[in-house]
Amino acid sequence: RVGVFAGITKTGYELYGPELWKKGAHIFPQISFSSVANRISYLFNLQGPSMPIDTMCSSSLTAIHEACEHLYRGECEMAIAGGVNLYLHPLGYVGLCANHMLSADGRCKSFGKGGNGFVPGEGAGVVLLKPLSKAIADEDPIHAVIRGTSINHGGKTNGYTVPSPTAQGELIRTALERAG
């Protein structure tokens, strides 16, 4: 019983549709977020929970949180958790620019004076998680121990894409409390 928890927010494949149609293609490029997690479960015959997680910027961390919760409840014995974020078509950037979301100077200044937007990043990362007692018993190389996780939402702020320093502080406090 291995769970798969895939943080994913966007793909961009569908943006290639009009370009392909002009060339005579009769396809609609798309991906279902559930396919990201479920394809892994299918290919490796994994029979634990298998789900995509889309919480925007926090998708990967939320996937890890959900994996930890499922492990804690015994719903899986191990979990593959992580995320992917790729900008596969230029229109992804056009939309961010049109909504004035990108940093004008190309620098992130989260909660800092002069913050004027964010700088998108791309990447993929995955970790294999299992209960510490099981990892020790199996003599696995242990690279880190997750002692506590937590998730929340910032509620209403100065703007839909503006984080709440208060809510993020509460989130950190809760995670530290859970970690002891």
Side-chain angles (χ1 to χ4, degrees):
R1 293 179 313 132
V2 178
V4 179
F5 302 85
I8 183 168
T9 303
K10 66 181 86 46
T11 65
Y13 290 118
E14 67 282 356
L15 296 172
Y16 284 100
E19 201 175 303
L20 293 170
W21 300 332
K22 286 178 186 175
K23 296 177 182 175
H26 298 290
I27 61 169
F28 186 80
Q30 63 182 356
I31 188 169
S32 164
F33 286 177
S34 61
S35 291
V36 174
N38 291 330
R39 175 71 74 182
I40 293 167
S41 296
Y42 171 78
L43 288 172
F44 293 102
N45 194 26
L46 306 177
Q47 298 174 6
S50 186
M51 61 185 69
I53 309 287
D54 180 3
T55 56
M56 294 184 160
C57 296
S58 61
S59 296
S60 297
L61 289 173
T62 302
I64 290 171
H65 169 79
E66 286 298 318
C68 289
E69 290 293 310
H70 281 74
L71 286 164
Y72 179 75
R73 291 191 305 260
E75 295 170 354
C76 52
E77 297 168 19
M78 292 191 300
I80 297 169
V84 60
N85 187 53
L86 300 172
Y87 288 87
L88 300 174
H89 193 280
L91 281 180
Y93 288 103
V94 171
L96 293 172
C97 288
N99 288 309
H100 307 287
M101 296 171 72
L102 298 180
S103 171
D105 60 9
R107 298 191 53 155
C108 289
K109 301 176 195 91
S110 301
F111 308 120
K113 188 174 183 176
N116 58 14
F118 78 100
V119 178
E122 295 184 296
V126 174
V127 293
L128 176 64
L129 304 172
K130 65 191 324 187
L132 181 59
S133 59
K134 181 76 172 140
I136 291 170
D138 292 345
E139 298 182 358
D140 292 334
I142 300 169
H143 299 287
V145 175
I146 299 172
R147 295 181 53 173
T149 67
S150 184
I151 58 174
N152 73 356
H153 189 278
K156 189 164 180 118
T157 61
N158 293 334
Y160 180 65
T161 62
V162 178
S164 165
T166 302
Q168 290 196 357
E170 290 171 9
L171 175 68
I172 292 167
R173 273 191 294 285
T174 302
L176 289 171
E177 287 171 8
R178 289 183 180 176

